[in-house]
Amino acid sequence: MKKLLLLSLIFLCSIGYSQTVLFLDDFQDSDISDWTLIDADADGEDWTPVNMATTAPLYKGMRSASWISSGALTPDNWAISPAIDLGAGGTLITLSWDVVDRDPSWDLDNYSVYVSNTPDDTSMLATPVIFTEVLAGVNVMTPRSVTLPSTLTGTIYVAFRHHDVTDQFAIDMDNVKVTSAPLKNDEFFTRNFSIQPNPVSDVFNVTSKNGVAIETIQVLDINGRIVNQLNASSTESVQVNVANLNAGVYFVKVQSELGVGTSKIIKK
């Protein structure tokens, strides 16, 4: 049992999990000119730099208002990030930011977060909403984070949309960050592949979930010996015959265009 557990850890764990920062804007330069700003409601009010350097909590960021001194606003304001390169994917991508609604008495501002490969509001609206909230009670800078879809690759843009609200006050954003971290082999497998059936008697299928091309498949016993290997020629579904194997636990190791994933099967 201990031997099996140890070998499971060897096969199913990757070597390191350090994060790589792909994008960070802490707005310390008080400059948001590299963001694409869209005043979709055309009221002349949009996201602006904000400097709270002398008023607690101390920060610099960007702000969108639903009320100004001249009266109520009904914003539909977009702030779209500069280009962020995710590369070929196959990693855990996390988007994080800090947010606050500035007035505790008027704190029902609403915003949503989108991600697209194209930096415009039309493209963003064609994608699923990544995150949305009404900021009731969020009256100090508060961290938020979401895991981005594993299907995202290449160049992406992150959008913050202040919308569907009127006559509250203002929301501020700070510390927008995108990080990348290696997936464990089993996490990578679960995100990108499936095995059916499992347990298996004779034949099982390895199928790509996200169009990830399969290059090779190895079946290993609990001692790490390769008992079957297939070259898949970059297909998205592969049939593996294990009829000649003894009953027991085996590991399926998939080499793909994005990386290596490992999962466990039971041979009946």
Side-chain angles (χ1 to χ4, degrees):
M1 183 65 181
K2 291 182 180 178
K3 184 177 182 181
L4 176 58
L5 177 59
L6 176 61
L7 287 165
S8 296
L9 291 173
I10 291 172
F11 284 121
L12 297 180
C13 294
S14 56
I15 294 174
Y17 305 104
S18 60
Q19 287 189 345
T20 299
V21 177
L22 303 177
F23 173 82
L24 172 64
D25 197 341
D26 59 9
F27 304 102
Q28 290 303 298
D29 57 2
S30 299
D31 181 15
I32 61 173
S33 62
D34 52 342
W35 288 67
T36 300
L37 307 178
I38 302 173
D39 176 19
D41 58 295
D43 64 355
E45 301 292 335
D46 209 337
W47 291 90
T48 59
V50 60
N51 185 350
M52 302 298 291
T54 59
T55 305
L58 307 181
Y59 62 87
K60 294 182 180 181
M62 60 179 178
R63 172 176 294 176
S64 178
S66 60
W67 181 90
I68 55 176
S69 58
S70 60
L73 300 173
T74 306
D76 188 4
N77 295 338
W78 294 79
I80 303 176
S81 74
I84 303 168
D85 184 9
L86 300 186
T91 58
L92 181 68
I93 305 296
T94 302
L95 165 66
S96 60
W97 66 96
D98 296 340
V99 63
V100 61
D101 206 321
R102 285 302 311 165
D103 191 332
S105 299
W106 304 93
D107 61 358
L108 299 181
D109 283 285
N110 178 76
Y111 76 100
S112 300
V113 183
Y114 301 78
V115 177
S116 173
N117 295 112
T118 308
D120 61 76
D121 53 341
T122 301
S123 299
M124 293 292 176
L125 287 171
T127 67
V129 176
I130 296 295
F131 183 91
T132 191
E133 71 173 325
V134 175
L135 290 168
V138 184
N139 307 129
V140 296
M141 267 295 178
T142 303
R144 296 283 187 258
S145 67
V146 293
T147 300
L148 297 184
S150 60
T151 52
L152 289 172
T153 60
T155 300
I156 66 163
Y157 302 83
V158 173
F160 295 97
R161 182 191 183 197
H162 184 203
H163 65 111
D164 289 343
V165 63
T166 187
D167 200 19
Q168 292 297 299
F169 186 49
I171 62 173
D172 292 354
M173 297 284 183
D174 194 10
N175 295 322
V176 179
K177 182 166 65 172
V178 176
T179 61
S180 170
L183 288 171
K184 297 178 183 178
N185 284 355
D186 56 334
E187 292 174 337
F188 180 83
F189 191 99
T190 300
R191 279 173 171 253
N192 294 290
F193 307 104
S194 65
I195 292 178
Q196 294 292 336
N198 188 15
V200 56
S201 296
D202 299 311
V203 174
F204 66 87
N205 292 293
V206 178
T207 303
S208 171
K209 293 181 180 178
N210 303 312
V212 178
I214 300 169
E215 295 173 351
T216 62
I217 295 177
Q218 293 178 338
V219 180
L220 303 98
D221 65 17
I222 62 171
N223 295 311
R225 294 175 300 204
I226 299 172
V227 295
N228 196 352
Q229 179 166 320
L230 295 173
N231 293 320
S233 303
S234 298
T235 64
E236 295 182 14
S237 183
V238 179
Q239 188 176 82
V240 182
N241 192 323
V242 290
N244 64 324
L245 298 182
N246 295 327
V249 175
Y250 294 86
F251 296 94
V252 179
K253 183 177 180 181
V254 177
Q255 175 72 52
S256 74
E257 59 183 348
L258 296 185
V260 178
T262 305
S263 188
K264 183 170 63 178
I265 63 166
I266 298 173
K267 169 66 167 63
K268 295 190 292 185

